[in-house]
Amino acid sequence: LFYGPPGTGKTEIIKQLALESGRDILMYDAAKATASAWGATEKFMRALFLGYSYMVAVSDKAPILVLNEADQLLGKRFSNVDTTLARAENVISNIILQGFEDLRGILLATTNLAKNMDEAFDRRFLFKTELPRPDTSARKKIWKSFIPELTDEEAGKLAARFDLSGGQISNVVAKRNLAELYYEGDRGYNYIVGLCKEEAVEPISGTSRKVGF
């Protein structure tokens, strides 16, 4: 289980592990777990584990089953099952738990909300690795790796001023690269600062203004 805030590289690490080990990835997006037809979700989850078992059997190397945003699937079960919905949700959780028990292969999961996970699922992960937001030193290295032409001083200033995740820094770099198509001015430090201001989750001190009443 890889857990931590958004943009810290959870999914990217899985892709690199697959590349390093020469394995295929079966990426399951938890957003697809909810079906409109009653009972369809249960059938879908059974088919997921059955299909993965088949892939393991016919593959030279076991592929990696990835549950992305797993907290949506592995949330706490209902203790009060008086409602039909609660019973149905618990049935789905039990199907997934059984899938975990019977699984022969490699299952990796990502989540931003590890605390929301049911203890029964949490116990079944052999390894749990937290990926925190990068500190200033790590952000400086990320900036230098993405934009080598930055001086050490410039990379240090960007790292200290903007508390961005690796994913957010990657967004800034992608926008800067895209600007080659339409922007003829200097795309150096000051231009990057402007992109960082747009990307930053928290408003930059002194630049925010009230909206509405």
Side-chain angles (χ1 to χ4, degrees), residues 79 90 194 203:
S79 57
N90 282 355

Side-chain angles (χ1 to χ4, degrees), residues 143 158 162 164 172 191-200 204:
W143 279 116
L158 290 171
F162 299 101
L164 301 179
V172 169
Y191 184 79
I192 296 171
V193 167
L195 294 177
C196 289
K197 289 180 179 180
E198 296 175 1
E199 187 66 29
I204 304 301

Side-chain angles (χ1 to χ4, degrees), residues 142-143 145-147 166-179 187 192 195:
I142 295 172
W143 279 116
S145 68
F146 275 127
I147 311 178
Q168 289 175 304
I169 294 175
S170 178
N171 288 343
V172 169
V173 173
K175 291 177 182 177
R176 178 177 178 268
N177 293 340
L178 185 62
R187 295 184 303 113
I192 296 171
L195 294 177

Side-chain angles (χ1 to χ4, degrees), residues 96-190:
I96 300 173
L97 278 171
Q98 190 61 50
F100 276 34
E101 289 292 330
D102 298 338
L103 186 133
R104 296 294 179 269
I106 304 169
L107 185 145
L108 301 178
T110 69
T111 179
N112 302 331
L113 303 169
K115 293 181 179 179
N116 291 357
M117 189 174 299
D118 191 282
E119 291 182 3
F121 290 113
D122 184 72
R123 289 197 305 270
R124 283 165 172 77
F125 284 103
L126 185 60
F127 299 105
K128 293 183 278 289
T129 301
E130 181 179 11
L131 299 177
R133 291 179 68 87
D135 59 16
T136 303
S137 176
R139 289 196 297 272
K140 179 180 178 180
K141 292 178 181 178
I142 295 172
W143 279 116
K144 287 290 289 184
S145 68
F146 275 127
I147 311 178
E149 61 266 30
L150 284 173
T151 66
D152 284 346
E153 182 182 2
E154 290 172 336
K157 286 181 178 179
L158 290 171
R161 183 174 180 183
F162 299 101
D163 182 15
L164 301 179
S165 67
Q168 289 175 304
I169 294 175
S170 178
N171 288 343
V172 169
V173 173
K175 291 177 182 177
R176 178 177 178 268
N177 293 340
L178 185 62
E180 289 184 1
L181 302 176
Y182 62 85
Y183 183 71
E184 297 181 355
D186 177 34
R187 295 184 303 113
Y189 175 77
N190 290 330

